[in-house]
Amino acid sequence: MEETSREAVATAVQRVAGMLQRSDQLDKVEQYRRRESRKKASVEARLKAAIQSQLDGVRTGLTQLHSALLDVKDIQNSLADVSKDWRQSINTIESLKDVKDAVVQHSQLASAVENLKNIFSVPEIVAETQQLIEQGELLQAHRKLMELECSRDDLMYEQYRMDSKNTSDMSLISIYFEDVQGLSDELAKQLWMVLQRSMVTVRRDPTMLVSVVRIIEREEKIDRRMVDRKKQTAFIPPGRPKRWKDKMFEVLEGTVSTRIEGTQAVTREADKMWLVRLLEITRKYVLDDLIVVKNLMVQCFPPHYNTFNSVEMMGHPELCSECDINQLEPLLPQDVVDDLLNKYVKTFTSNITGWLRKALETDKKDWLKDTEPEADQDGYYQTTLPAIVFQMFEQNLQVAAQIDGNFKEQVLKLCLKQMNSFLMRYREEVVAYKEEHIRDRQLPQCYVQYMIAIINNCQTFKESINSLKRKYSQSSEPTDSDAAIERMLNEVAKEGCQFLLDEVFLDLEHHLNELLTRKWLMGCHAVDTICVTVEDYFNDFNKIKKPFNQEMTSEALRRVVVEYIKAVMQKRITFKNADERKEGAERMIKEAHQFKFLFRKLAAGEDTDRLCGAIAAIAEVFKLTDPTLLFLEVPTLVSKYPDIREEHIQALLAVRGDASREMRQMIIGTLSENKVSYSGVTQPIFKEITVPTITMTTMTTMTSMATAKLLK
C-alpha cells in the first residue's frame, strides 16, 4: 500500500509540474484544482459502484450456494426414502404374480368376447364367403375373410401371450378356423385367374381388375403389420406373410410369356418364313397390348406402381434414348428462329382476321333462318360462333405452346387483340340486324330467338376467354385487352337486351297510349294486355343466361313503370270530380298490384316494390277528397321519390283538376323551401320523364275553343 501511495504521489507531482510550467498558468490553479476534484469524485464513484457490484455478486452467489446445499440435502433424503420403499416393495411385487396372470387371462377373455360373434358364426361366415367368391363378389368376400382371420389371429395372439408353449390350445384354435385358410387359397385362385385374363378384363370390366388390386394392397398392409409385430413379440399368425403382391407380378409375367409363346403358329418345317411371320405377329400383339396398358390398365393400378414407366415396361434401360437431347446444339440459329416466328405471327394475324370474318358471315346467315337456334344442355339458345372462334384460337395456341412458353404468351395476346377487333365488328352487325328487322318486323321470323342467342354468345365468349387464359397464360394479372373485351361484350349483351325490350314495347305501344285516358277510366283492359304480352315474351327470355336475364327483367319493370307515369304526366285526362278521382286512383292502385305480381313472378329483384309503389303513391295524391291535405301528401311523395321535379307536381295537380292556381303555387313554394336532395343511391324514376309544355299555338287554339264555347 505504501509503495502504491508513493507512486500515486509521484504521478500527481509530475502532473502538477506539467500544468505549471509557465507563469501565466498560475492564474489557472483554482480551475485545475476544481477539474481534478471532479475527476477524483468521478473515479471514486465508479470505484464504489464496482466494489458494490462485486459485493452484490458475492452475496448472490453465497445465497445460491446455500439454496443448492439445501436442495442437495432434500434430494439425499428423497433418494433414501425411495431406496427404502423399493426394498420394501420387492416382496410385494413377487406376491402380485397371481394378479399378473389374472390380467393376461382377462385380456384373453376380452379378446374372446370381442370376437364372440365371429367365433360362434364361423361356419355361417365361411359359407357366405364361399358363396361370394363363387359369385365373383371378390371385395365382399375379402372383407369377410379379413374378419375371420382377424378373429383367429387375435385369439392365437392372446393365447401366445399367456402361454407360448401351450401348443394344444393353439392347435384347438387352428382346427376350429381350419376352413379360413382354404377360403384364402380359393380367393387367391380367383385373383390369379382375373390377372391372367387382365388384358381382356380391363376392356370388359375394369372394376373387377381394380377390385383385385385393392384386395392385394390390403393384404400387403396386413403383411407389413404382422411382420412388424413379429419383431416385437416373436408371434406371427399362420399363413403370414402371404406376399400376394409378388405373386401378382409373377402371374402377370407368366401371362406375358404365354401371350408371346402362343403366337408361334407354324414351325420352320411348315413355312420357311416362319420367323418373319412370328416377329410380325409378336410386334403387332406387343404394340396392341402396350396401347391397352397405357390407355386402360394404368388407371386400374395405384400411381406408385408406375405401371407403364416401370423398369419392366417402357422404363427399361435398353429403351432409353442414347443421348441427352438437352445437351445437343439447336438445329437452327436463333436469328433464323426469330425470323421464322415473326413470319408465323404475320401469317397468323392475316389468317385469323380472314377466319373471323368468314365465321361472322356464316353466323349472320344463321340469323336469317326460319328455324330456332340450337340450345345447349341447359336449354339456353346459342349459335356455333363462339365454338368456331375459340377452336381456331385453341389450335394455334397448341402449336405455339410446342415452340416456346414466351411465344405462347405472345400468340395469346395476339388472339385477345384480334378478339377485341372482332367484337367491334360483331357489335356493328348486331345493330344492323336490329335495324333491318325494324324496317319489316315480320322478318326474320326468329329474330327474338337469335337475338337471345347473340346475348348468350357474349357470356360464352367470356367463359372461353377465361378458359384460354387459365390454360395458356402463366400470368393472372388483367391486361388492357381483357378490360376492353369485357367492356365490349357487356355492351353487346346490354344492347341486345335493349333491342329485345324495344321489340316488346313496340307491341305495347298502342296499349300504353290508352293509359290515363277517358277510355281507360271507363274500364279498358290495357294493363291486362300489357301483363299478358310481357309474360309471353319473357317465356322466351328465360333462355337468356345469367346475369343478363336478371338485368333485363329489372329493366323491363323500370320501363313499364316509367311509361305508365309518362301517361300521367302527359295529362291525357283531367278528373272532373271526386268520384272520378277516386275511381281513377283505385284503378291505378289495382294496376300497380298487377305489375308487382307479374314482375315478382318474373324475379325482377328487390326494386319491384319501390318502382310499382310510385304508381300507388301518385294514386294516393289523386285519391284525396280534401284538397288541403295535398300540403301533406305531396311532400310525402317527394320524400319517397326525391328525383321528382316541380313540373311533375304541376302535372299531377293539373290531372286532379281541383287545385286552384294559388294552391299549386303554395305547394310548389313549400317544396322549394324544404327541397329534398337526391342522393342517387336508388334507381331514378322521374329523372327521364319530361312534362309536355303548352306552346303558343296550343294556347291560342285552347283560347279560341273556350271563346267559341262561351259564345255558344
Side-chain angles (χ1 to χ4, degrees):
M1 291 291 294
E2 294 180 357
E3 184 177 355
T4 302
S5 300
R6 286 197 298 273
E7 290 179 358
V9 170
T11 302
V13 169
Q14 187 177 0
R15 290 190 62 189
V16 170
M19 293 178 185
L20 302 176
Q21 290 181 356
R22 299 190 307 274
S23 59
D24 58 334
Q25 292 178 327
L26 295 173
D27 297 336
K28 299 181 180 179
V29 171
E30 186 62 26
Q31 181 179 350
Y32 292 152
R33 187 183 66 78
R34 287 197 300 271
R35 185 177 66 185
E36 293 301 322
S37 297
R38 287 196 299 272
K39 286 183 179 181
K40 179 182 178 184
S42 176
V43 170
E44 288 178 349
R46 290 202 301 272
L47 183 60
K48 288 180 180 179
I51 293 172
Q52 185 64 38
S53 176
Q54 291 291 335
L55 291 174
D56 291 342
V58 171
R59 186 181 298 108
T60 302
L62 290 173
T63 302
Q64 291 177 347
L65 286 173
H66 182 69
S67 177
L69 180 60
L70 294 176
D71 292 341
V72 168
K73 290 181 178 179
D74 290 340
I75 292 171
Q76 286 178 339
N77 295 332
S78 299
L79 287 174
D81 293 339
V82 169
S83 177
K84 181 180 178 182
D85 293 341
W86 176 73
R87 290 190 183 94
Q88 292 176 352
S89 63
I90 291 177
N91 297 328
T92 305
I93 293 173
E94 293 177 352
S95 64
L96 290 176
K97 184 175 184 302
D98 295 338
V99 177
K100 180 180 178 182
D101 295 339
V103 168
V104 173
Q105 187 177 10
H106 178 270
S107 176
Q108 274 188 312
L109 293 174
S111 178
V113 170
E114 184 179 351
N115 296 281
L116 199 59
K117 179 181 177 181
N118 291 337
I119 291 172
F120 283 118
S121 58
V122 165
E124 182 182 348
I125 297 176
V126 168
E128 290 179 3
T129 307
Q130 184 67 43
Q131 186 178 3
L132 289 171
I133 293 174
E134 293 173 356
Q135 292 174 353
E137 300 290 338
L138 301 184
L139 276 177
Q140 295 296 327
H142 185 252
R143 182 177 62 81
K144 290 188 174 294
L145 176 62
M146 286 194 299
E147 291 176 0
L148 290 171
E149 289 182 337
C150 182
S151 299
R152 180 197 64 185
D153 297 345
D154 288 348
L155 289 173
M156 296 183 76
Y157 176 62
E158 293 299 332
Q159 177 60 36
Y160 178 83
R161 286 178 57 195
M162 185 177 70
D163 187 1
S164 59
K165 297 180 181 180
N166 189 347
T167 57
S168 60
D169 288 347
M170 281 287 193
S171 300
L172 183 62
I173 297 173
S174 298
I175 293 171
Y176 188 74
F177 285 93
E178 62 182 353
D179 292 337
V180 175
Q181 185 61 42
L183 288 176
S184 179
D185 296 339
E186 184 64 27
L187 178 61
K189 289 180 183 179
Q190 295 296 321
L191 300 183
W192 313 145
M193 190 179 302
V194 172
L195 289 171
Q196 287 170 354
R197 295 182 298 188
S198 57
M199 299 301 293
V200 178
T201 304
V202 78
R203 292 187 181 98
R204 295 180 180 175
D205 187 9
T207 56
M208 177 64 74
L209 184 58
V210 172
S211 299
V212 169
V213 175
R214 288 180 61 188
I215 291 171
I216 293 173
E217 281 295 299
R218 288 177 184 173
E219 289 294 337
E220 281 294 304
K221 291 181 181 178
I222 297 173
D223 279 351
R224 288 193 294 270
R225 189 167 67 248
M226 294 303 169
V227 170
D228 291 340
R229 189 167 70 175
K230 181 182 178 183
K231 294 177 182 178
Q232 299 174 358
T233 65
F235 171 78
I236 191 165
R240 294 288 177 184
K242 294 183 180 181
R243 297 189 177 91
W244 278 6
K245 186 175 180 181
D246 295 340
K247 180 63 176 178
M248 175 183 68
F249 288 124
E250 291 177 8
V251 172
L252 290 175
E253 185 176 353
T255 303
V256 173
S257 300
T258 304
R259 173 81 162 163
I260 294 175
E261 292 171 358
T263 58
Q264 185 175 353
V266 295
T267 61
R268 181 191 301 270
E269 291 77 11
D271 189 352
K272 294 181 179 180
M273 300 296 291
W274 71 275
L275 183 58
V276 175
R277 296 180 185 278
L278 175 62
L279 293 175
E280 176 60 23
I281 294 173
T282 303
R283 181 197 66 80
K284 184 178 182 303
Y285 282 2
V286 169
L287 180 60
D288 292 344
D289 290 350
L290 286 176
I291 291 173
V292 172
V293 171
K294 181 178 181 180
N295 296 330
L296 299 177
M297 195 172 288
V298 168
Q299 286 79 14
C300 298
F301 289 84
H304 67 270
Y305 274 44
N306 202 14
T307 307
F308 193 72
N309 296 321
S310 60
V311 176
E312 294 81 5
M313 293 286 286
M314 300 305 294
H316 196 279
E318 294 185 5
L319 297 179
C320 296
S321 58
E322 298 180 358
C323 61
D324 186 0
I325 60 174
N326 296 322
Q327 296 179 357
L328 298 177
E329 294 182 359
L331 295 176
L332 295 175
Q334 189 61 40
D335 56 344
V336 176
V337 174
D338 293 340
D339 183 56
L340 290 173
L341 293 180
N342 290 333
K343 289 181 180 179
Y344 176 85
V345 169
K346 291 180 182 178
T347 305
F348 170 68
T349 304
S350 176
N351 290 343
I352 204 71
T353 303
W355 292 336
L356 291 174
R357 187 183 300 109
K358 290 179 182 178
L360 183 54
E361 291 297 326
T362 303
D363 206 53
K364 283 170 54 182
K365 292 178 182 178
D366 291 342
W367 298 350
L368 304 176
K369 288 182 178 179
D370 297 337
T371 57
E372 294 183 354
E374 296 180 356
D376 62 10
Q377 65 272 16
D378 297 320
Y380 297 117
Y381 286 139
Q382 63 179 6
T383 68
T384 58
L385 182 63
I388 294 173
V389 169
F390 284 94
Q391 185 179 5
M392 292 187 291
F393 288 167
E394 178 83 21
Q395 291 173 352
N396 285 275
L397 284 168
Q398 287 176 355
V399 174
Q402 295 177 357
I403 298 173
D404 182 57
N406 294 330
F407 185 66
K408 176 187 66 176
E409 293 277 352
Q410 182 181 352
V411 173
L412 177 60
K413 291 180 181 178
L414 183 59
C415 289
L416 295 178
K417 182 178 179 182
Q418 290 294 320
M419 185 68 192
N420 194 22
S421 303
F422 167 75
L423 289 176
M424 293 180 183
R425 295 194 298 273
Y426 190 53
R427 180 184 181 186
E428 294 171 358
E429 296 296 342
V430 173
V431 173
Y433 180 55
K434 178 251 185 181
E435 292 175 350
E436 185 68 25
H437 171 71
I438 292 299
R439 295 188 187 96
D440 183 359
R441 294 187 63 212
Q442 301 301 319
L443 296 175
Q445 293 183 8
C446 295
Y447 167 77
V448 171
Q449 289 79 4
Y450 276 98
M451 188 60 73
I452 291 173
I454 290 169
I455 296 169
N456 290 338
N457 284 349
C458 294
Q459 186 63 24
T460 306
F461 276 131
K462 287 183 181 181
E463 295 169 356
S464 301
I465 289 171
N466 292 333
S467 176
L468 280 184
K469 289 183 65 180
R470 286 194 302 269
K471 188 173 181 180
Y472 293 103
S473 178
Q474 298 178 352
S475 174
S476 58
E477 295 296 326
T479 63
D480 295 338
S481 296
D482 296 337
I485 291 173
E486 180 82 11
R487 183 170 57 253
M488 185 59 65
L489 287 172
N490 286 335
E491 289 178 1
V492 174
K494 289 181 179 178
E495 287 181 355
C497 293
Q498 200 68 35
F499 296 160
L500 290 176
L501 288 179
D502 291 343
E503 187 75 4
V504 176
F505 281 88
L506 283 174
D507 287 348
L508 298 179
E509 185 175 6
H510 171 70
H511 306 290
L512 291 171
N513 290 334
E514 291 181 352
L515 296 176
L516 273 294
T517 61
R518 283 287 162 190
K519 181 180 178 181
W520 168 82
L521 188 62
M522 297 300 293
C524 74
H525 301 285
V527 170
D528 295 335
T529 307
I530 290 171
C531 291
V532 170
T533 304
V534 170
E535 186 172 8
D536 182 60
Y537 266 104
F538 270 85
N539 287 331
D540 285 336
F541 296 165
N542 284 333
K543 293 181 171 59
I544 298 177
K545 290 183 178 181
K546 295 180 179 180
F548 304 119
N549 57 353
Q550 178 68 43
E551 295 173 0
M552 189 171 181
T553 309
S554 300
E555 178 62 17
L557 168 62
R558 192 193 66 82
R559 284 183 65 169
V560 166
V561 172
V562 167
E563 291 297 327
Y564 195 102
I565 297 176
K566 277 183 180 179
V568 177
M569 298 303 171
Q570 288 172 0
K571 294 173 282 191
R572 300 172 184 174
I573 187 174
T574 300
F575 297 120
K576 296 178 180 180
N577 51 49
D579 292 337
E580 282 192 355
R581 285 191 290 274
K582 179 181 179 182
E583 184 180 353
E586 289 177 351
R587 189 173 184 83
M588 289 176 68
I589 293 171
K590 174 189 173 186
E591 291 171 349
H593 283 299
Q594 283 183 262
F595 290 142
K596 187 186 298 185
F597 176 79
L598 170 64
F599 284 98
R600 278 182 176 174
K601 182 179 178 182
L602 298 177
E606 299 176 354
D607 225 17
T608 304
D609 291 348
R610 190 183 70 87
L611 290 169
C612 296
I615 299 174
I618 293 173
E620 293 297 332
V621 174
F622 294 157
K623 193 175 182 181
L624 291 175
T625 56
D626 186 356
T628 58
L629 294 178
L630 290 171
F631 289 99
L632 297 176
E633 192 63 36
V634 172
T636 302
L637 174 66
V638 175
S639 65
K640 290 181 179 178
Y641 303 94
D643 61 320
I644 196 169
R645 301 189 298 274
E646 291 182 4
E647 56 265 31
H648 296 139
I649 302 300
Q650 293 276 19
L652 295 180
L653 297 176
V655 173
R656 263 191 68 92
D658 65 341
S660 63
R661 181 177 181 182
E662 291 77 10
M663 180 180 290
R664 292 200 297 269
Q665 289 177 348
M666 290 177 65
I667 292 173
I668 296 300
T670 303
L671 293 176
S672 300
E673 294 174 1
N674 304 296
K675 193 169 184 180
V676 179
S677 61
Y678 174 59
S679 62
V681 176
T682 56
Q683 190 178 22
I685 302 175
F686 295 88
K687 184 177 181 181
E688 59 184 84
I689 299 176
T690 57
V691 178
T693 56
I694 301 178
T695 61
M696 290 299 296
T697 304
T698 306
M699 290 181 65
T700 303
T701 304
M702 291 176 65
T703 304
S704 300
M705 292 174 63
T707 304
K709 186 175 181 180
L710 290 172
L711 292 174
K712 185 176 180 180

